[in-house]
Amino acid sequence: MNETHRGRLTREGIRIHETADFAGMHRAGALAAQILDEIAEHVFVGQTTAAIDKVIEDRVNASGAKSATIGYKGYQHASCISVNHVVCHGIPGDKVLKDGDILNVDVTVIVDGWFGDTSRMYVAGKLSRKAERLVQVTHDALMKGIEAVRPGATFGDIGHAIQSYVEAHRMSVVRDFCGHGLGRVFHAPPNVLHYGRAGSGPRLEEGMFFTIEPMVNLGRPETKVLADDWTAVTRDKSLSAQFEHSIGVTDTGAEIFTLSPAGKFHPTWA
């Protein structure tokens, strides 16, 4: 069997990886998480998102890894940086961060053929109370989704756990974007919805690798994509937040590949 395609596919086309593959995902995930740790000090009032992206690209290159996003469908940056009402896929540029801006930084690296994909929130200056609530609910919703992962559960269980938690806090889950399978490819089945009905969807099996990456809005869930064909924003201009981990299903639950080495996954780590 070709090393690139080890394991088997379920009837839904979801790859079941071998136990040995977890090590490769841990290496890729650890590098992506370490890079996001290291950029924390580069997020400040007056900084540009292009400067943050340059730090990320330099870190990727220095590690001997590759950026999965540079050249992907014509994209030319080592990260997506989404500020305030940008939901996802924000393009780094000359935008200057202002006091109170919240931003999601999303990085995917390739290490020895394995893809490590993760994102987390940062704040420039002082975090406002409403932004703090949004960030906390989004972070906790991701963890609720991960807690629902175990063999025999369904992908609908993950979405239901996230949606019910978010809506209980009078916020909304974005429907237009979702998590995805990964491994030796950037995107693969399944689509991991962050909303849904408990007990619905494919069943989870040990050896599945995928991201969970809920996007949560303070206002309504609707989004629109700008003329650059990348940047997605909230239609009502409300603030949006996102956290993302890459995980593998184990015999008892979930193994997180993208844990922050320095414990900086939440922006209030300091």
Side-chain angles (χ1 to χ4, degrees):
M1 183 177 292
N2 188 304
E3 185 183 8
T4 304
H5 301 289
R6 292 186 299 191
R8 61 179 176 85
L9 294 179
T10 69
R11 65 182 181 180
E12 296 91 1
I14 304 170
R15 185 162 299 283
I16 306 300
H17 296 84
E18 298 178 352
T19 302
D21 295 339
F22 278 72
M25 289 299 290
H26 270 294
R27 290 194 300 273
L31 176 61
Q34 180 184 340
I35 289 170
L36 289 187
D37 280 359
E38 292 173 354
I39 66 165
E41 65 187 74
H42 297 275
V43 178
F44 50 81
V45 176
Q47 176 71 296
T48 66
T49 55
I52 297 170
D53 183 71
K54 180 63 166 59
V55 173
I56 293 168
E57 183 175 357
D58 289 347
R59 294 285 196 277
V60 174
N61 292 337
S63 73
K66 293 182 180 179
S67 166
T69 53
I70 295 177
Y72 178 75
K73 295 185 177 179
Y75 195 76
Q76 294 302 316
H77 303 275
S79 64
C80 293
I81 302 180
S82 304
V83 182
N84 292 335
H85 72 289
V86 178
V87 174
C88 60
H89 302 159
I91 302 173
D94 53 11
K95 178 179 176 57
V96 175
L97 297 177
K98 303 186 300 296
D99 186 40
D101 280 349
I102 60 172
L103 54 153
N104 175 271
V105 183
D106 191 338
V107 170
T108 307
V109 298
I110 309 171
V111 178
D112 299 327
W114 296 99
F115 285 70
D117 187 1
T118 185
S119 79
R120 66 180 80 156
M121 296 299 296
Y122 300 83
V123 59
K126 182 173 175 57
L127 194 62
S128 72
R129 179 65 187 122
K130 68 177 183 178
E132 183 179 12
R133 282 189 62 246
L134 172 65
V135 167
Q136 189 65 54
V137 168
T138 308
H139 172 274
D140 293 349
L142 167 62
M143 302 317 292
K144 293 285 186 184
I146 293 174
E147 287 170 8
V149 174
R150 63 185 181 280
T154 69
F155 282 95
D157 294 336
I158 298 173
H160 177 74
I162 293 169
Q163 180 184 7
S164 58
Y165 184 81
V166 169
E167 292 179 353
H169 288 81
R170 304 179 67 82
M171 300 178 194
S172 64
V173 176
V174 170
R175 264 69 163 177
D176 298 332
F177 302 93
C178 61
H180 54 89
L182 81 170
R184 286 190 174 273
V185 293
F186 196 171
H187 297 100
N191 289 334
V192 183
L193 305 182
H194 303 117
Y195 60 95
R197 182 169 51 86
S200 65
R203 292 210 170 271
L204 299 170
E205 295 185 43
E206 184 179 356
M208 288 180 173
F209 297 163
F210 51 87
T211 70
I212 305 178
E213 47 184 298
M215 289 141 273
V216 176
N217 298 343
L218 268 180
R220 293 186 55 82
E222 292 83 10
T223 70
K224 64 178 180 180
V225 177
L226 302 184
D228 59 26
D229 290 330
W230 284 103
T231 308
V233 300
T234 55
R235 282 191 174 272
D236 62 5
K237 304 294 186 184
S238 63
L239 286 177
S240 187
Q242 180 187 20
F243 284 89
E244 174 185 14
H245 272 316
S246 295
I247 70 164
V249 182
T250 69
D251 60 344
T252 58
E255 196 162 304
I256 301 174
F257 299 130
T258 46
L259 289 172
S260 164
K264 297 181 180 180
F265 190 65
H266 192 287
T268 57
W269 60 268

